[in-house]
Each structure stands twice: as structure tokens, then as C-alpha cells.
Amino acid sequence: MPRPLEALIHLQALQHNLQRARAAAPDARVWAVVKANAYGHVLDRVFEGLRAADGFALLDIAEAERLRKMDWRGPILLIEGTFDVRDLEWCSRLGLWHTVHCEQQIDWLAMHKTEWPHHVFLKMNTGMNRLGFRPDAFRQAWVRLSSLPQVDEISLMTHFSDADGPRGIAHQAQVFHTTCDDLPGERSLCNSAATLRHAQDPAIRGDWVRPGVMLYGASPDFPEHDATHWGLQPAMTLRSRVIGVQHLLPGETVGYGSRFTAPQAMRIGVVACGYADGYPRHASDGTPVLVDGQRTRLIGRVSMDMLTVDLTDLPQAHMGSEVTLWGQGPEVNGQATTLSIDEVAHHCGTIGYELMCALSPRVHVEVLQPHHG
Ligand SMILES: Cc1ncc(COP(=O)(O)O)c(C=O)c1O
């Protein structure tokens, strides 16, 4: 028998979450952001679930090529643009739209020989200070781009640093609008947090939204709001089984470094999942875990291939009991159970994004078709 650890990808959840993005930004078109190999879900596995998107946004040309091989003929946007002048040949060949965020990328375009002029997304740095032209250089970049025969359409974009938090987006949105309100072209501003929290305003919504993490069923602003609040469903489940049971006497310890000491007699379960599978080693005692759909907690340090959970209050749990590390659990008394990846991440000092991206290639993955839930 293979090791009983597996990840499930729920195509139905991807479809549902894409619908949520559409509902939050009515009339806008939706880029499904699938960078980082679809946030760790693997592009080829999520494609069917997200094919109702208007386009796919990513940053590796190799991933764009894979989408074309899957027969995706619609728009693909490279959200970091080109890394080298030769990338433009790939953009022409594969029909990719690309972000332009610096002078060097315009220089490359000016040198590029192509029969097919490109659609570019000119990026403004409105305060994130990662990629993009500062507002005072933005218009000049636009003028330069519009004079190039290699370019036939210029859309305008920016990216928010605080759409998920109290600082919000107003200051950046204002910079964006004052700088480019009179320029023609489609607009794209919103990531998941901005789509869910701010896209009711048509000026913020723009023509294209760029949701990423919400499509995979994680909340972009946890713990302020959880995935249930936003009506999102987990697109990835990581599940395993209890492969060993131990009975501890008071004062005995568990695992490497004896991090956890039993305050009283306890029963613990050993689960086939460790940091070599992508489960974070620094998960703290108390990180939630479902055993047969019932909530319990991680205790002791996570090791390479195993972790340990408290079964003291779950007398019915046994060797072979199903363990949900995150995602959709088994039904209990006819009720669906879930364990939010955001909550697990919170106990590990990180965010759901990092956990999903870190799923290890050694984990067996099953893609569930929509009718299987
Ligand atoms: C330019 C851009 N747009 C959209 C996204 C999607 O963000 P999120 O996953 O928070 O929705 C990202 C992700 O970092 C990004 O860099």
C-alpha cells in the first residue's frame, strides 16, 4: 500500500470560487492568477476548474506555454513582464500579453522585430514600491510605448500593498486615478483582497480583476475574515491517516526536542505527514487538525514524515482514522466538515498562500471532478 497521505484538488471548489470573484466584481473580466504553478495546485490540475476565467495571469513563460498546449486560446498575461529581450519572441509566438514595469522593458520592445504588435499592461507604482513606473514617469512611459509600432494596445495597471488591511487602498487608488484618468485603455487594479473588499466601486473594479488566493479557497484577509465569511470553498485538501497510537503517562514527552510534555495520561495518534510533505515544521502545539472530522490539536514537533495529534478526547479514533490537515474533511452526522488552511497557517506564523505553495511533489494528488465535490 502507498503511504496514506494525499492531496485532493476539488474542481468544483475552483469553479465556485471563480464565480465568487465574478459576483464581487460584476462586469469586470477575471484574470485567474495561476502563478507559482497555480499556487502549488499544479496548473494542469486546476485548468478545468478555472477555464471559465477570461484569462490567466502568471509569470513563467514555460507555464504560459503549458496553457497553450492545453489548448487555451484566450488571453494570458505575464504579470512581471519580460525578463530578457528574447522573451518577446515567445510573447509573439504564444500571443502573450505582458506587463511593462520599467524602461528596460520598453527598450527591449523597441528592438523587437515582430509582425504581431503586442498588448501590454503598463504598470504604475502607486506605493507598493515593488514593480512599476512612479507616477511622475508613468505618462512619459505611456507616450513612449504608444509611439512604438511593436505595441498596439496599452492597458493600465497597479497593485495594492494593503488591500487586506486597515491602511486600505484609497491612497494608492487616488494616485492611480490622478495620474492616468485621461489616458485611454483598460484598467486592472484588484487582487483577491481588493476584489472582495473594494470592487463594488467601479473605479476600483476597473475592467479586469486579478484574484489569486481566493480562487483556491483561502481568505486574503484572515483573521479579519475567514473563507466562510467570503463564501469560499477550499480547493485543496491535505489528508492522511493515523498510522500509530501511543499511550503516555503524565510527564512523558512527545517527539524531537521533547517539546510537548503530557500533563496527564494521554492517548496520541501518529499521522503520516511531515515537513517533507509541505506541512510546516514550526507548527505550534495546538495547531488544529481533524481526526475523523473531529477537531483536535497537533502536539509535539513535526518531523520529516510524521506528526503527532492528541486523541485523548477522541476515544473512537484508531489506527487508520482519517486525518484532515487542511481542506474538506469527512461528513460527520451528515454535516460537511472543513479545516481552514488559513487557520492552520495562522498557528504556524504564516499565511495560507505559503502552505498551499509548499505542497511537496512527493505527495500523491487526486483531482476530483465536479460531481464528486
Ligand atoms: C500583480 C499581481 N496581481 C494579482 C495577484 C494575486 O494576488 P492574490 O493572490 O492576493 O489575489 C498578485 C499576487 O501576488 C500579483 O502580484
Side-chain angles (χ1 to χ4, degrees), residues 87-140:
D87 291 348
L88 289 167
E89 284 161 32
W90 284 99
C91 292
S92 297
R93 202 174 309 162
L94 297 170
L96 310 181
W97 302 0
H98 49 102
T99 297
V100 171
H101 63 73
C102 65
E103 289 293 344
Q104 174 92 77
Q105 290 179 328
I106 307 185
D107 296 342
W108 292 336
L109 265 168
M111 287 185 254
H112 176 51
K113 295 190 180 31
T114 179
E115 293 166 38
W116 301 287
H118 290 203
H119 184 159
V120 298
F121 275 61
L122 182 61
K123 184 161 186 178
M124 191 190 303
N125 171 13
T126 51
M128 173 82 170
N129 289 319
R130 214 170 50 172
L131 298 179
F133 290 88
R134 293 182 76 87
D136 55 3
F138 188 80
R139 295 184 75 91
Q140 217 212 320

Side-chain angles (χ1 to χ4, degrees), residues 4 240-245 269-273 305-306 318-321:
S240 186
R241 294 198 177 274
V242 172
I243 59 163
V245 175
V270 182
V271 179
C273 180
D305 312 300
M306 285 176 273
H318 53 83
M319 274 285 287
S321 279

Side-chain angles (χ1 to χ4, degrees), residues 33 35 39 79 123 130 157 159 190-193 210-214 220 353:
V33 180
K35 67 196 173 97
Y39 288 49
I79 46 177
K123 184 161 186 178
R130 214 170 50 172
M157 73 185 279
H159 190 52
C190 294
N191 58 0
S192 296
R210 306 187 305 271
V213 81
M214 68 173 288
Y353 295 69

Side-chain angles (χ1 to χ4, degrees), residues 12 86 93 173 207 220 249 312 348:
Q12 167 118 48
R86 282 165 299 188
R93 202 174 309 162
D207 303 286
L249 298 172
T312 313
C348 305

Side-chain angles (χ1 to χ4, degrees), residues 81-343:
T82 48
F83 302 109
D84 184 279
V85 64
R86 282 165 299 188
D87 291 348
L88 289 167
E89 284 161 32
W90 284 99
C91 292
S92 297
R93 202 174 309 162
L94 297 170
L96 310 181
W97 302 0
H98 49 102
T99 297
V100 171
H101 63 73
C102 65
E103 289 293 344
Q104 174 92 77
Q105 290 179 328
I106 307 185
D107 296 342
W108 292 336
L109 265 168
M111 287 185 254
H112 176 51
K113 295 190 180 31
T114 179
E115 293 166 38
W116 301 287
H118 290 203
H119 184 159
V120 298
F121 275 61
L122 182 61
K123 184 161 186 178
M124 191 190 303
N125 171 13
T126 51
M128 173 82 170
N129 289 319
R130 214 170 50 172
L131 298 179
F133 290 88
R134 293 182 76 87
D136 55 3
F138 188 80
R139 295 184 75 91
Q140 217 212 320
W142 187 89
V143 169
R144 211 182 144 208
L145 272 180
S146 42
S147 73
L148 295 181
Q150 290 89 343
V151 173
D152 72 345
E153 197 166 340
I154 307 174
S155 301
L156 312 176
M157 73 185 279
T158 193
H159 190 52
F160 296 127
S161 56
D162 290 78
D164 56 334
R167 188 156 185 240
I169 60 163
H171 57 298
Q172 285 187 259
Q174 200 200 344
V175 172
F176 185 75
H177 290 128
T178 7
T179 310
C180 68
D181 255 1
D182 58 334
L183 292 179
E186 295 186 329
R187 269 71 170 153
S188 178
L189 299 89
C190 294
N191 58 0
S192 296
T195 301
L196 290 169
R197 292 166 67 113
H198 304 287
Q200 350 32 297
D201 177 350
I204 302 300
R205 177 155 82 231
D207 303 286
W208 289 87
V209 290
R210 306 187 305 271
V213 81
M214 68 173 288
L215 300 179
Y216 307 99
S219 168
D221 62 353
F222 188 86
E224 188 180 342
H225 300 111
D226 62 14
T228 310
H229 170 90
W230 293 122
L232 302 171
Q233 298 172 1
M236 181 196 287
T237 293
L238 183 63
R239 73 177 184 192
S240 186
R241 294 198 177 274
V242 172
I243 59 163
V245 175
Q246 296 285 347
H247 296 267
L248 304 185
L249 298 172
E252 288 187 327
T253 62
V254 182
Y256 287 121
S258 301
R259 185 178 76 182
F260 180 84
T261 305
Q264 78 270 319
M266 288 181 75
R267 199 166 77 101
I268 63 165
V270 182
V271 179
C273 180
Y275 63 76
D277 302 302
Y279 194 94
R281 180 174 175 275
H282 44 281
S284 55
D285 291 335
T287 302
V289 176
L290 304 184
V291 176
D292 291 333
Q294 315 259 24
R295 255 173 106 96
T296 180
R297 56 180 180 143
L298 178 108
I299 50 169
R301 195 178 280 165
V302 173
S303 53
M304 185 184 285
D305 312 300
M306 285 176 273
L307 53 80
T308 33
V309 297
D310 185 1
L311 299 182
T312 313
D313 293 333
L314 301 177
Q316 76 293 359
H318 53 83
M319 274 285 287
S321 279
E322 183 172 332
V323 178
T324 309
L325 285 323
W326 59 69
Q328 305 188 14
E331 284 192 358
V332 174
N333 303 328
Q335 295 287 324
T337 57
T338 54
L339 179 57
S340 130
I341 194 168
D342 301 308
E343 203 190 336

